[in-house]
Amino acid sequence: MVGPPFAVAEKAATYLLRALPKPEVAVVLGSGWRAAAEELGPAEVTMPMAYLPGFVAPTAGGHAGVVCSVRAGGRSVLLLEGRSHLYEGRTPSEVVHAVRTAVMAGARTVVLTNAAGSLRTDFQPGQVVVVRDHINLTGASPLSGEEPPAPYGSRFVDLTDLYCARLREVARRAGPDLPEGIYAALPGPHYETPAEVAMLRAVGADLVGMSTALEAIAARHLGAEVLALSLVTNLAAGVSLEPLDHAEVLAAGDRAAARLGRLLAELLPLL
Ligand code: 8IG
């Protein structure tokens, strides 16, 4: 990213608001969730992320790299289709740039979706899990580096209610059977060894993935409320007897797309 991250995000928010309506809710569509957006109806405006300052074209499969505006339940919703990851060689500031931009543009609620590996045999592929909390094992923070400029809050941000109880309650109204789980964020892109999976279970994680945690921290730092939803696409190494395959991860997402879309369509008006 060229320039100080908060200033670049402010500029990107200004550009975004020239082309798209002011968002109330931002939804990051991770792997497996992109096709779900079709259930939300046609986009009012679509723009390639690359048009916005500081955005880089995602390289991971299943990530399109567009932003679009849809109306859902009377709300203006900004869909961020595609995200950047540390494993693409992006910096933490780049990873959270889209979320920061969306919050600076007006979104007070951020919904982060992802695909994740399951550390529990009772969370099988196809299961959606509401993230109750995370364990950030990436070794990174979006708040490292220069101090956030005024008017933004202290870099020493409190994360007690990061995945806020209010939004988790709302998610349960849209999907009464949705379980909650702890998401461990790792840098990837390799999957875990069985020994690492045993460690993750021992420290209390239910899910493992390579995204979401830094975005949640950045959104919370800017005062937004955060909800995160994981689609289980595989059992983590050693939980499953099968070797992990990225194509299967994407296929599991495709199979779940319509169901995920209906969940989002029911959820968004309640937020
Ligand atoms: I989808 O098993 C998905 N993302 N680290 N481990 C990690 N990330 C993942 C996995 C997994 N499955």
Side-chain angles (χ1 to χ4, degrees):
M1 182 180 301
V2 186
F6 286 84
V8 179
E10 278 175 5
K11 190 168 158 192
T14 305
Y15 278 42
L16 186 140
L17 290 172
R18 281 187 203 142
L20 280 79
K22 180 173 166 165
E24 293 159 84
V25 179
V27 182
V28 177
L29 295 167
S31 6
W33 290 80
R34 206 174 30 153
E38 282 156 31
E39 298 284 320
L40 301 177
E44 293 183 306
V45 192
T46 301
M47 185 198 269
M49 282 185 180
Y51 286 12
L52 295 168
F55 281 73
V56 285
T59 64
H63 289 276
V66 298
V67 289
C68 59
S69 177
V70 296
R71 287 206 69 85
R75 296 283 160 89
S76 172
V77 178
L78 184 70
L79 299 180
L80 301 161
E81 304 198 12
R83 58 152 58 93
S84 289
H85 304 82
L86 293 171
Y87 65 71
E88 296 170 90
R90 305 302 178 203
T91 64
S93 295
E94 288 168 339
V95 165
V96 305
H97 183 62
V99 164
R100 243 179 212 154
T101 298
V103 177
M104 287 180 180
R108 306 309 303 157
T109 306
V110 174
V111 180
L112 303 171
T113 66
N114 62 46
S118 169
L119 298 162
R120 295 167 50 148
T121 51
D122 58 332
F123 290 175
Q124 289 286 322
Q127 174 76 54
V128 175
V129 180
V130 177
V131 175
R132 184 170 75 244
D133 205 346
H134 79 216
I135 302 174
N136 177 11
L137 297 172
T138 66
S141 170
L143 298 170
S144 63
E146 267 183 56
E147 209 178 332
Y152 305 110
S154 161
R155 58 180 32 149
F156 302 108
V157 61
D158 179 84
L159 301 180
T160 309
D161 193 31
L162 180 55
Y163 300 92
C164 88
R166 186 185 78 78
L167 292 181
R168 287 186 281 121
E169 180 60 43
V170 168
R172 272 196 298 278
R173 257 186 281 145
D177 300 329
L178 294 180
E180 292 193 343
I182 307 289
Y183 178 91
L186 274 73
H190 52 270
Y191 294 119
E192 294 66 40
T193 64
E196 288 166 340
V197 165
M199 176 198 76
L200 293 169
R201 293 166 102 166
V203 298
D206 303 300
L207 303 162
V208 57
M210 307 174 193
S211 69
T212 303
L214 302 190
E215 292 154 88
I217 294 167
R220 181 73 241 151
H221 172 251
L222 293 177
E225 289 191 319
V226 179
L227 176 70
L229 300 172
S230 290
L231 170 69
V232 171
T233 54
N234 61 279
L235 294 174
V239 180
S240 156
L241 301 173
E242 303 287 314
L244 300 188
D245 174 5
H246 186 61
E248 279 179 26
V249 165
L250 297 179
D254 287 345
R255 281 194 295 277
R259 195 160 43 86
L260 301 182
R262 286 194 296 276
L263 173 63
L264 287 180
E266 281 175 32
L267 179 67
L268 291 174
L270 303 176
L271 292 175

